[in-house]
Amino acid sequence: MKQSEELKEYITIYESLRKKYKWRVENGALMMIASLFTGSSKPFNLNRYIELVDFIKQESSPFSYIQSTLRYSLAGLLLSRSEQPEEDYRQIQKSYDLLIEAGFQRSSHSYIAAYVLSLSVKEGEELSQHVERAKNLYDGMKKQHFFLTSHEDYPLAVLLAEGEADGEQMLEDMAYYYDELHLALWKGNNRQFLSQILTYGKRENRQILVQNAVTWMDDLKTQKFRLRGLHLPIVGVVSLVSTPSALLPKIKEVYEELIGYSKFKWYKDHCFMAAVRLVIQKEIEESSVLDVGLAATVESIMQAQQAAVIASLAAGATANSSNGG
């Protein structure tokens, strides 16, 4: 199969990362980091990336959760969208400390929540007010589903708290989606993740969004995609953007290109997530279907979810050795 220019760029970035970090960073994480820069207006600069990775290491406690695979992911997130990534990392550290003071537990996902929070706060705004809104919403989520809600929900709680709707309305929407998705998913974390993502949709479209999400899951299974828990937030994102008939052929084409590359063929889950990201990114750039607000939200969700997956990969490696912040 002839490689597209987009795939060539993706492989070039991935290979440069792999050459430098293959003994330190899990291959799937490198694939996801490479997808951040593919098709981006900011070209990937390996030397600049290395500088930022080293900076984060020096600025953080030796026992911090950030001293793991997460450090490489966060460096990619910052470098792909920030003009001053070092300064923004200091803002993330400040946000992290405030989240911990507010009652969030120390974890890799707390760092992702801090990253999300740093994206939301505008100059001159009081950071503590954003933290308070996020904690109130998280506590409401915990009250609804005590045994399902954990540190893995921190990033989405922060994102949702930055929405225009008030907390009670969002919690009611979340409960609606959770209940309505019983046709497609068993009770549990996967169903909760999907209900959280769908809460970003317009309230008057709730029934349509549920049907679109169910159709996406059915069509993906028909196309032989194995849906795992880490895919459910992605299903929520594509449900917000468009229908399977409009997007699935494009996603499948990119996915098949990716798994056709020898070093990716054992990483089908990561190829699926990368394919969705590359297709959605193009839709955001080229389509007039999404309004500016939703486009920005979709991009934030994708970045937070992608980093959260890497945080989960990193958590196992750091759980036994990390006692710091």
Side-chain angles (χ1 to χ4, degrees):
M1 180 184 293
K2 185 179 178 181
Q3 292 179 352
S4 65
E5 291 303 314
E6 192 172 54
L7 182 58
K8 287 178 183 176
E9 180 187 10
Y10 179 77
I11 291 173
T12 298
I13 297 170
Y14 161 79
E15 290 290 1
S16 65
L17 287 166
R18 185 173 179 273
K19 185 176 180 180
K20 173 67 180 176
Y21 294 115
K22 65 180 177 180
W23 303 116
R24 280 177 276 177
V25 184
E26 195 263 349
N27 198 53
L30 294 178
M31 290 171 63
M32 296 173 76
I33 294 166
S35 73
L36 292 169
F37 295 93
T38 305
S40 171
S41 58
K42 296 186 72 173
F44 179 68
N45 183 317
L46 180 62
N47 290 332
R48 185 71 183 92
Y49 177 80
I50 293 169
E51 285 178 5
L52 187 56
V53 167
D54 292 342
F55 173 83
I56 293 173
K57 181 179 181 178
Q58 292 163 7
E59 288 288 310
S60 310
S61 162
F63 302 103
S64 169
Y65 282 95
I66 203 68
Q67 303 287 13
S68 66
T69 305
L70 183 59
R71 170 162 53 105
Y72 301 92
S73 175
L74 195 56
L77 288 166
L78 286 169
L79 198 60
S80 66
R81 65 182 301 164
S82 173
E83 297 301 326
Q84 45 183 15
E86 285 84 2
E87 187 58 38
D88 286 348
Y89 178 68
R90 292 192 176 100
Q91 177 72 8
I92 289 171
Q93 283 284 28
K94 182 179 178 183
S95 299
Y96 178 85
D97 291 341
L98 285 175
L99 287 169
I100 301 307
E101 286 176 18
F104 289 91
Q105 299 298 306
R106 297 181 185 275
S107 74
S108 299
H109 289 85
S110 299
Y111 269 105
I112 304 304
Y115 166 74
V116 172
L117 189 59
S118 71
L119 294 178
S120 306
V121 179
K122 297 179 177 61
E123 189 174 348
E125 288 186 332
E126 189 60 48
L127 185 58
S128 59
Q129 293 178 359
H130 291 257
V131 172
E132 183 180 0
R133 282 203 305 271
K135 186 61 166 62
N136 288 338
L137 183 61
Y138 177 80
D139 288 345
M141 292 162 60
K142 189 83 172 173
K143 189 175 180 181
Q144 279 186 345
H145 297 288
F146 182 82
F147 292 107
L148 299 181
T149 307
S150 69
H151 58 89
E152 294 182 357
D153 297 285
Y154 290 169
L156 285 176
V158 171
L159 267 174
L160 282 167
E162 294 300 321
E164 295 179 1
D166 62 54
E168 289 302 317
Q169 180 180 314
M170 283 186 285
L171 289 168
E172 196 276 324
D173 284 345
M174 212 178 295
Y176 170 85
Y177 289 119
Y178 186 86
D179 291 340
E180 291 297 309
L181 287 167
H182 75 278
L183 295 171
L185 293 168
W186 294 101
K187 290 182 178 179
N189 294 82
N190 296 341
R191 193 159 134 193
Q192 174 161 284
F193 279 139
L194 183 51
S195 69
Q196 290 167 349
I197 299 293
L198 294 181
T199 303
Y200 288 98
K202 292 183 179 178
R203 208 156 199 257
E204 59 269 25
N205 294 339
R206 294 198 307 185
Q207 190 173 354
I208 295 171
L209 274 174
V210 170
Q211 185 56 55
N212 200 28
V214 172
T215 302
W216 264 106
M217 285 185 276
D218 288 342
D219 287 8
L220 284 166
K221 289 173 186 175
T222 300
Q223 293 295 328
K224 309 301 182 186
F225 286 102
R226 289 186 62 192
L227 289 178
R228 305 178 194 272
L230 53 81
H231 295 144
L232 269 298
I234 289 288
V235 170
V237 170
V238 292
S239 300
L240 291 173
V241 174
S242 192
T243 59
S245 60
L247 286 186
L248 187 50
K250 299 176 184 178
I251 291 171
K252 188 176 181 183
E253 182 180 357
V254 176
Y255 170 79
E256 289 179 346
E257 278 193 289
L258 289 170
I259 62 172
Y261 184 60
S262 60
K263 290 174 184 173
F264 296 161
K265 64 181 179 180
W266 303 115
Y267 294 86
K268 291 184 178 180
D269 288 344
H270 298 85
C271 286
F272 173 70
M273 288 188 285
V276 171
R277 178 179 179 79
L278 294 173
V279 169
I280 296 297
Q281 187 171 287
K282 208 163 192 177
E283 287 294 308
I284 289 173
E285 291 171 357
E286 298 178 356
S287 175
S288 58
V289 175
L290 293 178
D291 62 53
V292 175
L294 181 56
T297 297
V298 165
E299 175 62 19
S300 295
I301 294 170
M302 291 183 69
Q303 293 217 1
Q305 192 266 344
Q306 183 164 338
V309 169
I310 297 178
S312 296
L313 294 174
T318 59
N320 296 325
S321 60
S322 178
N323 298 310

